[in-house]
């Protein structure tokens, strides 16, 4: 019998630090060849652009829907294709990491590895890692059942952003997490920094514990995303003024901070030879420099917004006004 390929699921609520963790893993000098399956709730993703672009890595995107429902068939197909290409010697990898959307219920994703013979013949679920944003988790756990499920299914809880909270806040959060899931170890991670031996090949997935938590796990696992979260993607081919974008979104989050759950973008800024990466979770936002534009590569901006009752028209109008003045004046 051929050895099963271990699979790690990285889950965690919107903006908790999943991509940051994945990037660290891919950059690590560990020799493990990793295939990545990225799932984005919005119709498009920028996460691929944020991860290292190394020819050794296989990064497959699954956009426009949540891996746990509408695109689960895609997951089965992609796993099948990866295995077939590996068996044919076209690609090589030792481990698969699936990064789910921040709104995914991990149950149906994990179930795929037990309920689908075409998958369980080649793959085994190693562990579900749940990244928990120490700064926002209390509110997310109260407001979103997906956040609770993600903690409930965790084999390891990775606490991010502990640098942004007090000792007392952290202790209260730990207590709440243990009450939801007393089985998973809890570990702090600063910007995704965690020893690989603590998270890969840990054989952490425990079917008995999950069946106890979710008695229907091996049967029909019904679920729904009931809280009206939506997304849209803003595109702009003209260069943007980074300061204006920051000022505009700063004002927007003051007004709509609770509705605007997650926003992230790759920006084309005039006079900048690299991408500007801009992102935020509720009211916390920041920007940094991204990968350089390659010669002849078309430059454009793309910003993803995820939230409830998004003020889409206002966001589009406001961002259109952030087109660099010299360009918009010429166009006028
Ligand atoms: N202060 C602080 N910020 C962090 C930490 N880890 C991640 N972040 C920041 O949190 C933001 C969101 O991180 P991502 O890794 O993109 O989050 P994500 O879970 O992949 O987001 P989605 O895929 O959109 O749900 C980024 O600005 C990160 O730099 C941390 O330990 N401390």
């Amino acid at each position: 019998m051929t050895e099963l390929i271990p699979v790690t699921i990285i889950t965690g609520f919107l903006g908790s630090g999943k991509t940051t963790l994945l990037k660290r893993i891919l950059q690590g000098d560990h020799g493990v060849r990793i295939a990545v399956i990225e799932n984005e709730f919005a119709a498009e993703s920028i996460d691929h652009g944020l991860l290292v672009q190394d020819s050794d890595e296989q990064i497959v995107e699954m956009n426009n829907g949540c891996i746990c429902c509408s695109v689960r068939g895609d997951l089965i197909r992609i796993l099948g294709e990866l295995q077939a290409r590996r068996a044919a010697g076209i690609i090589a990898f030792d481990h698969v990491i699936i990064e789910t959307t921040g709104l995914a219920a991990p149950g149906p994703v994990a179930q795929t590895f037990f309920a689908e013979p075409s998958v369980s013949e080649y793959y085994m679920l190693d562990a579900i890692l749940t990244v928990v944003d120490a700064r926002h988790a209390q509110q997310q756990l109260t407001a979103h059942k997906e956040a609770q499920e993600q903690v409930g299914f965790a084999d390891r809880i990775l606490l991010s952003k502990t640098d942004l909270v007090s000792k007392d806040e952290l202790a209260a959060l730990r207590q709440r997490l243990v009450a939801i899931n007393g089985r998973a170890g809890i570990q702090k991670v600063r910007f995704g920094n965690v020893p690989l031996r603590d998270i890969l090949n840990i054989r952490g997935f425990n079917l008995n514990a999950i069946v106890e938590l979710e008695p229907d796990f091996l049967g029909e696992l019904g679920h729904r995303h009931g809280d009206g979260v939506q997304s849209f993607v803003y595109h702009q081919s003209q260069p943007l003024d980074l300061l204006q974008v920051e000022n505009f979104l700063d004002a927007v989050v003051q007004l709509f901070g609770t509705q605007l759950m997650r926003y992230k973008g790759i920006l084309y800024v005039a006079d900048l030879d690299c991408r500007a990466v801009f992102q935020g979770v509720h009211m916390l936002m920041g920007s940094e420099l991204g990968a350089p534009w390659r010669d002849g590569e078309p430059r454009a901006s793309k910003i993803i917004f995820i939230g409830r009752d998004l003020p889409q028209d206002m966001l589009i109008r406001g961002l259109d006004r952030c087109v660099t003045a010299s360009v918009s004046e010429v166009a006028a």
Side-chain angles (χ1 to χ4, degrees), residues 11 13 66 68-69 102-108 130 137-153 176 180 213-214 222-229 261 308:
T11 183
F13 206 68
C66 216
C68 58
C69 27
L103 293 165
T130 301
Q138 291 281 15
Q139 174 260 329
Q140 292 165 343
L141 286 167
T142 302
H144 303 280
K145 70 170 179 20
E146 289 90 349
Q148 296 167 17
E149 284 178 29
Q150 290 164 353
V151 171
F153 269 92
R176 188 168 180 185
I180 300 173
L213 179 82
E214 191 77 65
H223 81 288
R224 62 195 167 83
H225 298 282
D227 51 8
V229 179
M261 293 156 72
R308 286 201 188 101

Side-chain angles (χ1 to χ4, degrees), residues 13-20 47 99 102 160-161 163-164 189-191 262 264 279 281:
F13 206 68
L14 291 168
S16 54
K18 299 179 291 297
T19 308
T20 306
D47 287 351
E99 182 188 346
S160 67
K161 309 191 196 179
D163 49 307
L164 301 179
V189 281
R190 278 198 70 142
F191 288 96
R262 182 83 173 107
K264 49 186 174 179
Q279 58 171 309
V281 182

Side-chain angles (χ1 to χ4, degrees), residues 10-22 38-41 47 50 99-103 131 133 135 159-164 189-193 262-264 278-281 284-288 304 306:
I10 299 183
T11 183
F13 206 68
L14 291 168
S16 54
K18 299 179 291 297
T19 308
T20 306
L21 171 68
L22 186 53
E38 275 278 348
N39 177 215
E40 176 65 75
F41 183 70
D47 287 351
L50 302 179
E99 182 188 346
T100 72
T101 78
L103 293 165
V131 185
D133 173 339
R135 172 75 174 69
L159 264 182
S160 67
K161 309 191 196 179
T162 54
D163 49 307
L164 301 179
V189 281
R190 278 198 70 142
F191 288 96
N193 198 0
R262 182 83 173 107
Y263 41 99
K264 49 186 174 179
F278 176 86
Q279 58 171 309
V281 182
L284 269 186
M285 65 173 155
S287 58
E288 60 188 2
I304 294 167
I306 301 175

Side-chain angles (χ1 to χ4, degrees), residues 258-308:
T258 46
Q259 285 152 255
L260 204 51
M261 293 156 72
R262 182 83 173 107
Y263 41 99
K264 49 186 174 179
I266 284 182
L267 305 188
Y268 163 31
V269 176
D271 303 328
L272 200 59
D273 287 332
C274 56
R275 295 157 171 81
V277 177
F278 176 86
Q279 58 171 309
V281 182
H282 292 301
M283 319 266 287
L284 269 186
M285 65 173 155
S287 58
E288 60 188 2
L289 297 180
W293 296 107
R294 288 190 301 274
D295 281 347
E297 182 182 13
R299 299 183 182 194
S301 300
K302 179 156 99 173
I303 309 181
I304 294 167
F305 294 92
I306 301 175
R308 286 201 188 101

Side-chain angles (χ1 to χ4, degrees), residues 80-312:
E81 283 171 10
L82 281 174
Q83 191 279 327
R85 287 164 62 206
R86 181 182 192 251
I90 301 167
I91 54 174
F93 60 89
D94 318 304
H95 202 108
V96 174
I97 298 183
I98 301 175
E99 182 188 346
T100 72
T101 78
L103 293 165
V109 186
Q111 194 188 34
T112 306
F113 294 89
F114 298 90
E116 287 293 326
S118 65
V119 173
S120 57
E121 191 181 346
Y122 300 107
Y123 295 94
M124 58 152 302
L125 185 55
D126 181 47
I128 300 177
L129 310 177
T130 301
V131 185
V132 172
D133 173 339
R135 172 75 174 69
H136 297 101
Q138 291 281 15
Q139 174 260 329
Q140 292 165 343
L141 286 167
T142 302
H144 303 280
K145 70 170 179 20
E146 289 90 349
Q148 296 167 17
E149 284 178 29
Q150 290 164 353
V151 171
F153 269 92
D155 299 306
R156 285 273 191 290
I157 294 173
L158 303 175
L159 264 182
S160 67
K161 309 191 196 179
T162 54
D163 49 307
L164 301 179
V165 294
S166 69
K167 261 188 167 169
D168 289 350
E169 285 170 320
L170 195 57
L173 178 59
R174 273 181 183 273
Q175 217 173 17
R176 188 168 180 185
L177 295 172
V178 171
I180 300 173
N181 180 345
R183 167 181 78 81
I186 302 180
Q187 194 161 353
K188 284 198 221 172
V189 281
R190 278 198 70 142
F191 288 96
N193 198 0
V194 60
L196 206 71
R197 64 173 180 279
D198 291 351
I199 52 171
L200 291 195
N201 291 316
I202 56 176
R203 302 294 182 261
F205 188 78
N206 182 333
L207 187 60
N208 293 338
I210 292 299
V211 171
E212 214 168 277
L213 179 82
E214 191 77 65
D216 273 347
F217 183 76
L218 294 172
E220 265 310 293
L221 205 61
H223 81 288
R224 62 195 167 83
H225 298 282
D227 51 8
V229 179
Q230 40 164 186
S231 68
F232 89 94
V233 184
Y234 173 82
H235 289 273
Q236 179 57 260
S237 56
Q238 305 287 346
L240 292 169
D241 183 314
L242 183 58
L243 195 63
Q244 279 193 43
V245 173
E246 282 179 348
N247 288 342
F248 169 66
L249 288 179
D250 214 10
V252 169
V253 296
Q254 299 302 325
L255 289 171
F256 300 98
T258 46
Q259 285 152 255
L260 204 51
M261 293 156 72
R262 182 83 173 107
Y263 41 99
K264 49 186 174 179
I266 284 182
L267 305 188
Y268 163 31
V269 176
D271 303 328
L272 200 59
D273 287 332
C274 56
R275 295 157 171 81
V277 177
F278 176 86
Q279 58 171 309
V281 182
H282 292 301
M283 319 266 287
L284 269 186
M285 65 173 155
S287 58
E288 60 188 2
L289 297 180
W293 296 107
R294 288 190 301 274
D295 281 347
E297 182 182 13
R299 299 183 182 194
S301 300
K302 179 156 99 173
I303 309 181
I304 294 167
F305 294 92
I306 301 175
R308 286 201 188 101
D309 302 323
L310 292 173
Q312 187 166 336

